[in-house]
Amino acid sequence: MSEGKPTDDPDHRGIGHLSSPTPDFAALRFPAPSVYPEALGYESPPSFSASSGSALQAIFPPIADYAFLSDCENTCLIAPTGAVEWLCLPKPHDPSVFGTLLDRAAGSFRLAPADAAVPANRRYVPGTMVLATTWQTRTGWLAVRDFLVVGPWHRTSDRSALHRRTPGDFDAKHMLIRSATCLHGSVDVALDCEPSFDYGRVDARWEYAAATYDEVVTTNSGFVSLNLAGDLRLGIEGRAVRARHRLSQGESCYVSLSWADHPSPADSAEVNICLADTNRFWRGWIDVGRFPDHPWREHLQRSALTLKGLTYASTGALLAAPTTSLPENPGGQRNWDYRYTWIRDASFALWALHALGFDAEADDFLAFLGDVVKPEASAAGTPAPTADLQVLYCVDGTKAVLETELDHLSGYDGSQPVRVGNAAHNQEQLDILGSIVDCVYQHTRSRDSLNERSWRIVVQAVETALRRWRQPDHSIWETRGEPRHFTYSKVMCWVAADRGARLAALRGERDRADRWWTAALEIHADVCKNGVDNKGRFTQSYGSGNLDASLLVLPLVRFLPPEDERMRSTILAIADELSDRGLVHRYRADTTDDGLDEPEASFTVSSFWLVSALVEIGEIDRARQLCERLLGLSSTLGLYGEELDAATGRHLGNFPQALTHLALVNAVLHVIEAERHASEVPVGPDTPPTWWIATGRDERTGTKPM
């Protein structure tokens, strides 16, 4: 244990879309966001499980109460009790070491007061992914800081076999540090570390690393080796390592859990160095971004930090979510594994990253896309568009594993089955082709360049889209019913042809540009003919008559001008008919064959898409009000799950979800930019890069590429 002067509370009080907003922002002076009355007056959340009732409700924390930590390679979730309840090693898609999130016997790691389970305050240290938790006990106050260590680049004698991106100045240390400081009085601190490998199937075996009590290691062969060290006296009790120590005011203690060869901190001074390095990394990163001087700035920054935390720095991939099988319908079967990177997320990610000024991350994601697509050149030197694309990949670039069920786990809140792997990886989802081409298109506009590798990706994706666009598929929602002619997929095939034609024209390939442009016009006409009902609204699929939230993306990809009556009618119909208390569902589960006969909550991404779409059609006030409502429904730490229960505001689904935070960035910037234009405050020219101007590009909807 180390002693020092009394310490202040460590968490002390503070903490683009295709038509991307201008990078400059003006300060807006409308009131700070407020929560709608219905959000403030929500009824108590329902029982966590229809089958298990209050017993499970008492032992599974609400999904929104988890904190998320990352070092840009590994992630973990920490419950409000101070227990790490989810950590998968060595990669995000590998089996869990701590899995209490899905079964209360699957392992956890707690450092907290011995006689308290509810903290007085939890928040991130401003501008970082360091969690600061303050506890009040009957005898004193305790502050705990948790962080996954990021330090200066340390690979001086060898290269990583996995690291494919250009190395930066910082790198993950593969270590979780937990430090506690007594702020007032005295507090008994308890440590309980109980790993259980392979999703709770194999209990950890421990042994002391030396003659003292301050370091232990696991000895399970075939599993990642864990090293637990600190300035506590550690005792081994079966699979658990326990410690207990009384801290008086000004005293502190720490413990580190590592899964690499780096030495553990020798004392509290080295812990402070690790903390300073980690803070410097996160704050240095967030300082690069462009954020408006606006009351919603904090929401944008927390979303940006969350997205950075979901990146896999070694390859540039973006994790859809760090969890698997958190239920969309508690007690039901809508439990999926999201610990992969979806090709579809590429274009959404570039919208947000470029709009906020994080071009390096956008570059890395595009490079990862090039790694997994790998189009081969033919003998004539042109890409051979024959390779099939997967919908999703592991973050290390390998193909996703087959979907299986873990019958030995109870599931969060009794929700079964618990799934690992994702069967959607081999579905036919034609919309990803448009996402790929649009990804390159955005990158080209922002960087004023189009390299040969990216061009090969474009050719492969466009040619594949032109061959397959007439076929049915499973589309963006990955429905497990029969394939259909989804309107969204057809539109994204149009995006592939339209953006591809513009890029071909930029390269001077007139014949290819004309052929792709002709195909884009054909697809566009087909959608307008078959994807619109007798009310003049776009429908979920050809001939269905159903609404679908994916259609909110149509004005964002410039399929039609926002003033087109079909576009306006579709957006307003979704807002009025596909919403519950203002929150948007993906579709009506009772009229859409998605392979599961059970309801689901509102899809948070769809609600943020509605904000952007309302701005596009000029409904600024309505968009701002909905955006305020959604921002008010974030978790206390500014995070979002995949879905929200419209009646209770309860977060559901995998957590935190990247696509939700990407949609939040787009929606918030849409509203801020619309308010800026309304206030007529000049902030500089709103123009594309000079290369595009010099080549005379006309980016208006429906214009032929020059």
Side-chain angles (χ1 to χ4, degrees):
M1 270 54 65
S2 59
E3 296 186 8
K5 296 179 180 179
T7 310
D8 291 333
D9 188 337
D11 63 346
H12 214 67
R13 294 291 185 278
I15 66 171
H17 49 81
L18 287 173
S19 55
S20 298
T22 170
D24 300 307
F25 299 91
L28 303 182
R29 292 176 173 80
F30 51 87
S34 58
V35 180
Y36 271 23
E38 55 262 47
L40 291 171
Y42 281 139
E43 61 192 59
S44 299
S47 167
F48 278 86
S49 170
S51 58
S52 52
S54 59
L56 284 178
Q57 183 176 2
I59 61 176
F60 280 95
I63 291 172
D65 284 358
Y66 284 93
F68 167 66
L69 296 184
S70 171
D71 60 10
C72 299
E73 285 192 24
N74 295 111
T75 62
C76 70
L77 295 187
I78 302 180
T81 60
V84 177
E85 295 195 354
W86 188 249
L87 174 64
C88 298
L89 297 175
K91 300 184 185 71
H93 56 266
D94 285 329
S96 66
V97 172
F98 301 122
T100 311
L101 180 72
L102 297 179
D103 189 298
R104 304 318 279 175
S108 65
F109 175 23
R110 183 173 188 264
L111 179 71
D115 58 351
V118 179
N121 182 272
R122 295 168 81 219
R123 63 180 65 229
Y124 289 110
V125 174
T128 76
M129 291 289 286
V130 176
L131 179 67
T133 307
T134 304
W135 302 82
Q136 181 185 16
T137 72
R138 291 172 295 174
T139 58
W141 288 76
L142 185 75
V144 176
R145 277 178 169 164
D146 297 309
F147 58 100
L148 285 164
V149 183
V150 183
W153 183 264
H154 61 276
R155 304 180 195 274
T156 57
S157 60
D158 63 344
R159 294 189 302 273
S160 167
L162 180 62
H163 208 101
R164 300 177 191 168
R165 303 282 74 85
T166 302
D169 296 330
F170 289 86
D171 194 21
K173 289 292 187 70
H174 306 118
M175 181 186 300
L176 171 66
I177 291 182
R178 317 194 71 181
S179 64
T181 301
C182 182
L183 304 175
H184 175 75
S186 64
V187 179
D188 286 341
V189 178
L191 166 72
D192 292 280
C193 183
E194 300 186 49
S196 191
F197 299 104
D198 195 18
Y199 300 110
R201 290 189 181 104
V202 180
D203 287 347
R205 295 194 301 270
W206 296 95
E207 66 178 22
Y208 288 102
T212 59
Y213 285 97
D214 57 4
E215 185 175 8
V216 294
V217 295
T218 58
T219 61
N220 301 73
S221 61
F223 296 99
V224 62
S225 178
L226 302 178
N227 179 291
L228 186 68
D231 57 2
L232 294 167
R233 291 179 294 277
L234 306 175
I236 299 174
E237 300 179 9
R239 76 173 188 182
V241 174
R242 306 190 194 281
R244 183 161 177 154
H245 179 71
R246 176 167 294 178
L247 294 177
S248 297
Q249 182 171 321
E251 293 180 336
S252 63
C253 64
Y254 75 91
V255 64
S256 68
L257 179 75
S258 62
W259 47 95
D261 296 332
H262 308 300
S264 302
D267 50 36
S268 59
E270 291 192 11
V271 169
N272 291 334
I273 291 173
C274 290
L275 176 60
D277 287 340
T278 303
N279 281 333
R280 185 164 61 252
F281 165 74
W282 289 110
R283 286 174 171 158
W285 181 82
I286 201 69
D287 285 348
V288 172
R290 295 189 300 260
F291 296 94
D293 186 13
H294 188 275
W296 292 346
R297 176 188 179 98
E298 184 178 351
H299 293 281
L300 288 171
Q301 289 193 330
R302 181 48 52 191
S303 286
L305 287 164
T306 302
L307 291 168
K308 177 64 173 176
L310 290 170
T311 60
Y312 194 69
S314 297
T315 64
L318 177 67
L319 200 65
T323 58
T324 179
S325 299
L326 290 181
E328 299 172 19
N329 178 39
Q333 301 181 57
R334 295 184 183 274
N335 318 315
W336 317 110
D337 191 350
Y338 279 12
R339 297 172 298 162
Y340 304 99
T341 185
W342 263 254
I343 295 298
R344 175 183 300 109
D345 291 355
S347 62
F348 294 112
L350 264 72
W351 292 358
L353 293 172
H354 280 313
L356 294 177
F358 296 111
D359 295 331
E361 282 67 29
D363 291 346
D364 287 347
F365 198 177
L366 185 63
F368 170 78
L369 194 61
D371 290 343
V372 298
V373 172
K374 295 178 183 175
E376 301 293 337
S378 68
T382 59
T386 57
D388 286 328
L389 296 168
Q390 273 200 186
V391 173
L392 57 101
Y393 292 84
C394 296
V395 292
D396 59 4
T398 58
K399 292 187 176 181
V401 299
L402 296 176
E403 184 176 297
T404 58
E405 298 178 1
L406 303 181
D407 297 333
H408 67 286
L409 297 178
S410 69
Y412 175 88
D413 200 7
S415 302
Q416 294 181 324
V418 173
R419 295 182 174 94
V420 294
N422 198 306
H425 75 274
N426 60 0
Q427 280 188 346
E428 183 81 352
Q429 297 180 22
L430 298 176
D431 64 288
I432 69 170
L433 300 169
S435 296
I436 291 170
V437 180
D438 187 63
C439 184
V440 177
Y441 176 79
Q442 292 180 63
H443 186 269
T444 303
R445 282 176 55 87
S446 67
R447 304 301 253 185
D448 278 0
S449 64
L450 175 60
N451 61 46
E452 194 63 25
R453 187 190 198 199
S454 297
W455 175 241
R456 289 185 177 185
I457 295 173
V458 169
V459 173
Q460 174 177 314
V462 175
E463 293 293 349
T464 303
L466 299 191
R467 288 198 318 273
R468 297 183 179 178
W469 73 269
R470 294 181 180 85
Q471 301 173 7
D473 74 334
H474 295 277
S475 200
I476 184 173
W477 305 135
E478 302 177 343
T479 57
R480 300 199 175 193
E482 290 297 317
R484 284 183 289 164
H485 293 280
F486 285 98
T487 302
Y488 180 77
S489 292
K490 309 296 186 187
V491 168
M492 293 307 292
C493 286
W494 168 83
V495 168
D498 176 87
R499 308 307 192 260
R502 298 180 189 280
L503 292 171
L506 186 67
R507 286 174 56 92
E509 299 191 20
R510 293 304 323 172
D511 290 344
R512 195 192 298 269
D514 288 343
R515 180 166 62 87
W516 287 355
W517 177 251
T518 300
L521 294 177
E522 181 183 3
I523 299 171
H524 195 282
D526 189 79
V527 172
C528 292
K529 177 182 177 182
N530 298 302
V532 180
D533 63 14
N534 55 13
K535 298 180 181 178
R537 310 181 305 188
F538 286 97
T539 59
Q540 181 184 66
S541 59
Y542 285 8
S544 71
N546 295 330
L547 294 170
D548 192 293
S550 64
L551 303 172
L552 294 169
V553 178
L554 269 58
L556 307 183
V557 298
R558 300 299 183 250
F559 183 74
L560 285 173
E563 60 269 17
D564 188 288
E565 189 55 36
R566 291 166 295 181
M567 202 74 274
R568 182 176 179 83
S569 296
T570 302
I571 294 167
L572 294 179
I574 291 172
D576 295 335
E577 300 176 25
L578 202 57
S579 301
D580 182 3
R581 297 172 174 85
L583 304 183
V584 183
H585 291 263
R586 295 186 295 177
Y587 48 75
R588 290 298 179 191
D590 55 349
T591 60
T592 298
D593 177 18
D594 62 4
L596 295 172
D597 185 20
E598 61 181 51
E600 66 171 359
S602 70
F603 198 64
T604 316
V605 170
S606 303
S607 298
F608 279 117
W609 282 349
L610 178 57
V611 172
S612 299
L614 288 171
V615 172
E616 291 287 339
I617 64 172
E619 296 285 340
I620 310 301
D621 289 341
R622 188 170 181 179
R624 180 171 55 80
Q625 291 170 3
L626 176 57
C627 197
E628 285 183 347
R629 165 91 185 276
L630 291 167
L631 295 178
L633 291 176
S634 71
S635 78
T636 56
L637 294 173
L639 306 176
Y640 288 86
E642 183 181 9
E643 299 189 352
L644 286 168
D645 186 309
T648 66
R650 180 184 179 185
H651 289 241
L652 298 169
N654 287 304
F655 180 88
Q657 192 201 28
L659 190 55
T660 301
H661 286 275
L662 291 169
L664 179 153
V665 170
N666 192 30
V668 168
L669 292 183
H670 255 94
V671 174
I672 292 175
E673 188 68 359
E675 296 279 0
R676 180 189 70 82
H677 282 298
S679 66
E680 297 182 350
V681 177
V683 294
D686 186 6
T687 58
T690 50
W691 185 37
W692 289 76
I693 299 173
T695 53
R697 303 296 155 195
D698 187 346
E699 301 305 311
R700 291 173 297 174
T701 302
T703 56
K704 183 176 181 178
M706 301 175 65

